[in-house]
PDB file of all heavy atoms in Angstrom:
ATOM      1  N   GLN A  11      -5.756  -3.487  -4.918  1.00 96.00           N
ATOM      2  CA  GLN A  11      -4.447  -3.849  -5.522  1.00 96.00           C
ATOM      3  C   GLN A  11      -3.747  -4.931  -4.693  1.00 96.00           C
ATOM      4  O   GLN A  11      -3.279  -5.943  -5.201  1.00 96.00           O
ATOM      5  CB  GLN A  11      -3.524  -2.621  -5.511  1.00 96.00           C
ATOM      6  CG  GLN A  11      -3.997  -1.443  -6.282  1.00 96.00           C
ATOM      7  CD  GLN A  11      -2.834  -0.444  -6.408  1.00 96.00           C
ATOM      8  OE1 GLN A  11      -1.983  -0.633  -7.289  1.00 96.00           O
ATOM      9  NE2 GLN A  11      -2.784   0.552  -5.600  1.00 96.00           N
ATOM     10  N   LEU A  12      -3.669  -4.681  -3.372  1.00 97.00           N
ATOM     11  CA  LEU A  12      -2.946  -5.635  -2.527  1.00 97.00           C
ATOM     12  C   LEU A  12      -3.726  -6.913  -2.361  1.00 97.00           C
ATOM     13  O   LEU A  12      -3.183  -8.009  -2.374  1.00 97.00           O
ATOM     14  CB  LEU A  12      -2.655  -4.965  -1.191  1.00 97.00           C
ATOM     15  CG  LEU A  12      -1.939  -5.833  -0.151  1.00 97.00           C
ATOM     16  CD1 LEU A  12      -0.582  -6.334  -0.713  1.00 97.00           C
ATOM     17  CD2 LEU A  12      -1.722  -5.105   1.177  1.00 97.00           C
ATOM     18  N   ARG A  31     -15.688  -6.271  -0.186  1.00 97.00           N
ATOM     19  CA  ARG A  31     -16.436  -5.369   0.687  1.00 97.00           C
ATOM     20  C   ARG A  31     -17.847  -5.893   0.934  1.00 97.00           C
ATOM     21  O   ARG A  31     -18.380  -5.784   2.026  1.00 97.00           O
ATOM     22  CB  ARG A  31     -16.499  -3.985   0.039  1.00 97.00           C
ATOM     23  CG  ARG A  31     -17.096  -2.906   0.948  1.00 97.00           C
ATOM     24  CD  ARG A  31     -17.723  -1.822   0.108  1.00 97.00           C
ATOM     25  NE  ARG A  31     -16.821  -1.219  -0.850  1.00 97.00           N
ATOM     26  CZ  ARG A  31     -16.540   0.065  -0.876  1.00 97.00           C
ATOM     27  NH1 ARG A  31     -17.046   0.868   0.021  1.00 97.00           N
ATOM     28  NH2 ARG A  31     -15.716   0.547  -1.806  1.00 97.00           N
ATOM     29  N   ASP A  35     -17.827  -6.098   5.100  1.00 98.00           N
ATOM     30  CA  ASP A  35     -17.657  -4.667   5.230  1.00 98.00           C
ATOM     31  C   ASP A  35     -17.018  -4.433   6.595  1.00 98.00           C
ATOM     32  O   ASP A  35     -17.682  -4.610   7.638  1.00 98.00           O
ATOM     33  CB  ASP A  35     -19.010  -3.976   5.120  1.00 98.00           C
ATOM     34  CG  ASP A  35     -18.900  -2.453   5.262  1.00 98.00           C
ATOM     35  OD1 ASP A  35     -17.888  -1.997   5.791  1.00 98.00           O
ATOM     36  OD2 ASP A  35     -19.840  -1.770   4.884  1.00 98.00           O
ATOM     37  N   THR A  61      -8.864   4.645   0.125  1.00 97.00           N
ATOM     38  CA  THR A  61      -7.520   5.086  -0.327  1.00 97.00           C
ATOM     39  C   THR A  61      -7.549   6.279  -1.250  1.00 97.00           C
ATOM     40  O   THR A  61      -6.508   6.660  -1.775  1.00 97.00           O
ATOM     41  CB  THR A  61      -6.790   3.911  -1.004  1.00 97.00           C
ATOM     42  OG1 THR A  61      -7.599   3.477  -2.116  1.00 97.00           O
ATOM     43  CG2 THR A  61      -6.515   2.765  -0.103  1.00 97.00           C
ATOM     44  N   TYR A 124      -6.960  11.438   4.961  1.00 98.00           N
ATOM     45  CA  TYR A 124      -6.586  10.030   4.792  1.00 98.00           C
ATOM     46  C   TYR A 124      -5.432   9.685   5.767  1.00 98.00           C
ATOM     47  O   TYR A 124      -5.538   8.673   6.505  1.00 98.00           O
ATOM     48  CB  TYR A 124      -6.163   9.800   3.337  1.00 98.00           C
ATOM     49  CG  TYR A 124      -5.424   8.514   3.075  1.00 98.00           C
ATOM     50  CD1 TYR A 124      -6.097   7.285   3.052  1.00 98.00           C
ATOM     51  CD2 TYR A 124      -4.059   8.493   2.881  1.00 98.00           C
ATOM     52  CE1 TYR A 124      -5.400   6.107   2.819  1.00 98.00           C
ATOM     53  CE2 TYR A 124      -3.356   7.331   2.616  1.00 98.00           C
ATOM     54  CZ  TYR A 124      -4.023   6.120   2.617  1.00 98.00           C
ATOM     55  OH  TYR A 124      -3.363   4.952   2.349  1.00 98.00           O
ATOM     56  N   LYS A 128      -5.393   6.977   9.031  1.00 98.00           N
ATOM     57  CA  LYS A 128      -4.483   5.858   9.148  1.00 98.00           C
ATOM     58  C   LYS A 128      -3.605   6.027  10.424  1.00 98.00           C
ATOM     59  O   LYS A 128      -3.301   5.053  11.081  1.00 98.00           O
ATOM     60  CB  LYS A 128      -3.581   5.794   7.899  1.00 98.00           C
ATOM     61  CG  LYS A 128      -4.305   5.589   6.570  1.00 98.00           C
ATOM     62  CD  LYS A 128      -4.982   4.262   6.438  1.00 98.00           C
ATOM     63  CE  LYS A 128      -4.073   3.139   6.067  1.00 98.00           C
ATOM     64  NZ  LYS A 128      -4.810   1.876   5.739  1.00 98.00           N
ATOM     65  N   VAL A 150       2.146   2.673  -3.614  1.00 98.00           N
ATOM     66  CA  VAL A 150       1.844   1.286  -4.012  1.00 98.00           C
ATOM     67  C   VAL A 150       1.277   1.246  -5.439  1.00 98.00           C
ATOM     68  O   VAL A 150       0.406   2.011  -5.784  1.00 98.00           O
ATOM     69  CB  VAL A 150       0.835   0.660  -3.027  1.00 98.00           C
ATOM     70  CG1 VAL A 150       0.452  -0.735  -3.450  1.00 98.00           C
ATOM     71  CG2 VAL A 150       1.402   0.643  -1.600  1.00 98.00           C
TER      72      VAL A 150
HETATM   73  N1  NAP B   1      -2.191   2.766  -2.795  1.00 73.76           N
HETATM   74  C1  NAP B   1      -1.142   3.354  -2.192  1.00 73.76           C
HETATM   75  O1  NAP B   1      -0.362   4.088  -2.808  1.00 73.76           O
HETATM   76  C2  NAP B   1      -0.874   3.056  -0.740  1.00 73.76           C
HETATM   77  C3  NAP B   1       0.234   3.719  -0.142  1.00 73.76           C
HETATM   78  C4  NAP B   1       0.496   3.452   1.201  1.00 73.76           C
HETATM   79  C5  NAP B   1      -0.321   2.599   1.917  1.00 73.76           C
HETATM   80  N2  NAP B   1      -1.388   2.008   1.308  1.00 73.76           N
HETATM   81  C6  NAP B   1      -2.218   1.117   2.113  1.00 73.76           C
HETATM   82  O2  NAP B   1      -2.105  -0.181   1.556  1.00 73.76           O
HETATM   83  C7  NAP B   1      -3.352  -0.910   1.754  1.00 73.76           C
HETATM   84  C8  NAP B   1      -3.820  -1.526   0.460  1.00 73.76           C
HETATM   85  O3  NAP B   1      -4.019  -0.485  -0.467  1.00 73.76           O
HETATM   86  P1  NAP B   1      -4.452  -0.697  -1.969  1.00 73.76           P
HETATM   87  O4  NAP B   1      -3.702   0.230  -2.810  1.00 73.76           O
HETATM   88  O5  NAP B   1      -4.458  -2.164  -2.271  1.00 73.76           O
HETATM   89  O6  NAP B   1      -5.946  -0.174  -1.882  1.00 73.76           O
HETATM   90  P2  NAP B   1      -7.139  -0.270  -2.961  1.00 73.76           P
HETATM   91  O7  NAP B   1      -6.632  -0.816  -4.243  1.00 73.76           O
HETATM   92  O8  NAP B   1      -7.829   1.058  -2.948  1.00 73.76           O
HETATM   93  O9  NAP B   1      -8.082  -1.379  -2.326  1.00 73.76           O
HETATM   94  C9  NAP B   1      -8.767  -1.161  -1.146  1.00 73.76           C
HETATM   95  C10 NAP B   1      -9.896  -2.167  -1.073  1.00 73.76           C
HETATM   96  O10 NAP B   1     -10.583  -1.931   0.133  1.00 73.76           O
HETATM   97  C11 NAP B   1     -11.939  -2.147  -0.139  1.00 73.76           C
HETATM   98  N3  NAP B   1     -12.777  -1.472   0.867  1.00 73.76           N
HETATM   99  C12 NAP B   1     -13.074  -0.144   0.957  1.00 73.76           C
HETATM  100  N4  NAP B   1     -13.918   0.014   1.995  1.00 73.76           N
HETATM  101  C13 NAP B   1     -14.159  -1.190   2.539  1.00 73.76           C
HETATM  102  C14 NAP B   1     -14.954  -1.633   3.626  1.00 73.76           C
HETATM  103  N5  NAP B   1     -15.684  -0.799   4.370  1.00 73.76           N
HETATM  104  N6  NAP B   1     -14.933  -2.952   3.916  1.00 73.76           N
HETATM  105  C15 NAP B   1     -14.230  -3.832   3.178  1.00 73.76           C
HETATM  106  N7  NAP B   1     -13.478  -3.471   2.100  1.00 73.76           N
HETATM  107  C16 NAP B   1     -13.434  -2.133   1.829  1.00 73.76           C
HETATM  108  C17 NAP B   1     -12.179  -1.602  -1.520  1.00 73.76           C
HETATM  109  O11 NAP B   1     -13.324  -2.183  -2.010  1.00 73.76           O
HETATM  110  P3  NAP B   1     -14.008  -1.839  -3.419  1.00 73.76           P
HETATM  111  O12 NAP B   1     -13.154  -2.603  -4.418  1.00 73.76           O
HETATM  112  O13 NAP B   1     -15.375  -2.347  -3.302  1.00 73.76           O
HETATM  113  O14 NAP B   1     -13.878  -0.336  -3.553  1.00 73.76           O
HETATM  114  C18 NAP B   1     -10.912  -2.033  -2.235  1.00 73.76           C
HETATM  115  O15 NAP B   1     -11.083  -3.298  -2.823  1.00 73.76           O
HETATM  116  C19 NAP B   1      -4.326   0.114   2.386  1.00 73.76           C
HETATM  117  O16 NAP B   1      -4.318  -0.046   3.759  1.00 73.76           O
HETATM  118  C20 NAP B   1      -3.709   1.448   2.010  1.00 73.76           C
HETATM  119  O17 NAP B   1      -4.078   2.471   2.912  1.00 73.76           O
HETATM  120  C21 NAP B   1      -1.664   2.220  -0.013  1.00 73.76           C
END
Side-chain angles (χ1 to χ4, degrees):
Q11 300 192 81
L12 179 59
R31 187 207 304 237
D35 179 342
T61 58
Y124 165 75
K128 300 293 280 188
V150 176

